[in-house]
Amino acid sequence: MNKFILAAFITTALLGCNSNDGEDIIVDKVGLDISALTDQQKQDYAQISTDINALVLYVVGTCVDKQEQINADFTTLRCNIADHLTDIAKTEYSAITLVDGKLDITRENNARFIIKTDEDVKFKALTISSETLSYRLSSDNSITVQISGDNEQILTASFRGFYTDGSLSDNGSWTTESIKDQSFIFTDDENTRLIALTNGQAKLIGKDKKSYSWSTDTMGKVVLK
């Protein structure tokens, strides 16, 4: 039996299909081999792992804006990425194409939103893989958005997510998470239609609990630590 499938089977049997611990075991045993990555590859994985969150947030913002026109007092919302593929913004430092996925949005109050996935977000990022990649926000994984300011709103975001590259059976999963108290700022340039997560810090965790961290500058470009 393929090692990735075996690990997933053991994890599901012992911990349950909705357990974050299960994902952590998969990553630890058959995850991305960070020690084999070049600095450029680390840069690419970090940039894509950051930018996919920016793209998800853009879609969420579009869904929330439309829903507020219908019901300004909503508390939960299901957002289908496929409904927004034609008008989605772009990221400057990585070429990512969203494919599909459904997002579950919970508004805890007027200034705080939690984003999870009902179905994994599917996307392509040719810099790191020729195949379709998956991004999961379930169990303890999520994106949290906090809105502050009145006239000029500032959106800060923290996240923890689980990624899978289906083309790599042995080294195809990794986790990224923002570092506590170092949340990212979501920026959206209406003139260029470029979006980014800026001025934050995060880390990528792969096989054997190895990890590396990075920050993003004021334009959203990853700077390795």
Side-chain angles (χ1 to χ4, degrees):
M1 182 183 289
N2 173 298
K3 284 193 296 181
F4 182 85
I5 296 174
L6 177 61
F9 174 79
I10 293 173
T11 296
T12 301
L14 293 177
L15 300 171
C17 61
N18 292 321
S19 172
N20 248 137
D21 292 336
E23 292 175 352
D24 291 343
I25 289 176
I26 292 173
V27 172
D28 186 32
K29 299 301 182 185
V30 292
L32 186 67
D33 187 358
I34 291 174
S35 62
L37 298 180
T38 65
D39 285 347
Q40 183 59 55
Q41 288 173 319
K42 288 181 179 179
Q43 179 86 17
D44 292 339
Y45 273 96
Q47 191 71 63
I48 286 164
S49 298
T50 303
D51 287 347
I52 188 64
N53 288 286
L55 289 170
V56 168
L57 285 173
Y58 181 85
V59 173
V60 166
T62 301
C63 289
V64 168
D65 288 345
K66 290 184 177 180
Q67 182 63 24
E68 285 185 331
Q69 296 174 17
I70 302 170
N71 175 17
D73 298 322
F74 81 92
T75 56
T76 61
L77 177 63
R78 171 68 56 83
C79 181
N80 189 348
I81 288 175
D83 294 337
H84 305 280
L85 295 179
T86 57
D87 59 355
I88 198 163
K90 302 293 183 182
T91 54
E92 183 172 3
Y93 301 107
S94 60
I96 299 174
T97 303
L98 290 180
V99 178
D100 60 33
K102 292 184 174 65
L103 306 167
D104 286 329
I105 306 160
T106 300
R107 180 162 65 181
E108 294 191 338
N109 54 53
N110 287 336
R112 184 178 173 88
F113 295 81
I114 307 296
I115 301 144
K116 292 181 174 287
T117 54
D118 175 66
E119 298 177 6
D120 290 0
V121 173
K122 304 290 186 182
F123 68 98
K124 289 185 176 292
L126 295 180
T127 306
I128 61 174
S129 177
S130 60
E131 302 297 326
T132 300
L133 300 159
S134 298
Y135 181 41
R136 183 184 304 165
L137 295 165
S138 59
S139 190
D140 293 334
N141 293 332
S142 64
I143 302 174
T144 301
V145 182
Q146 186 73 35
I147 303 173
S148 59
D150 295 320
N151 296 329
E152 186 174 346
Q153 291 188 335
I154 298 174
L155 277 66
T156 55
S158 58
F159 54 80
R160 187 182 193 275
F162 176 74
Y163 295 78
T164 302
D165 182 350
S167 69
L168 301 174
S169 60
D170 288 341
N171 298 296
S173 299
W174 67 97
T175 297
T176 58
E177 58 184 19
S178 54
I179 295 174
K180 187 176 181 180
D181 300 326
Q182 298 293 327
S183 298
F184 293 80
I185 299 174
F186 177 79
T187 63
D188 184 357
D189 190 320
E190 294 181 358
N191 294 320
T192 63
R193 298 191 71 232
L194 290 173
I195 57 174
L197 289 179
T198 66
N199 298 301
Q201 294 188 39
K203 66 178 179 178
L204 184 150
I205 306 160
K207 187 177 180 180
D208 299 326
K209 294 185 173 66
K210 292 182 178 178
S211 65
Y212 65 94
S213 58
W214 69 88
S215 61
T216 53
D217 63 18
T218 57
M219 301 299 292
K221 185 174 183 179
V222 160
V223 180
L224 297 178
K225 295 293 187 180

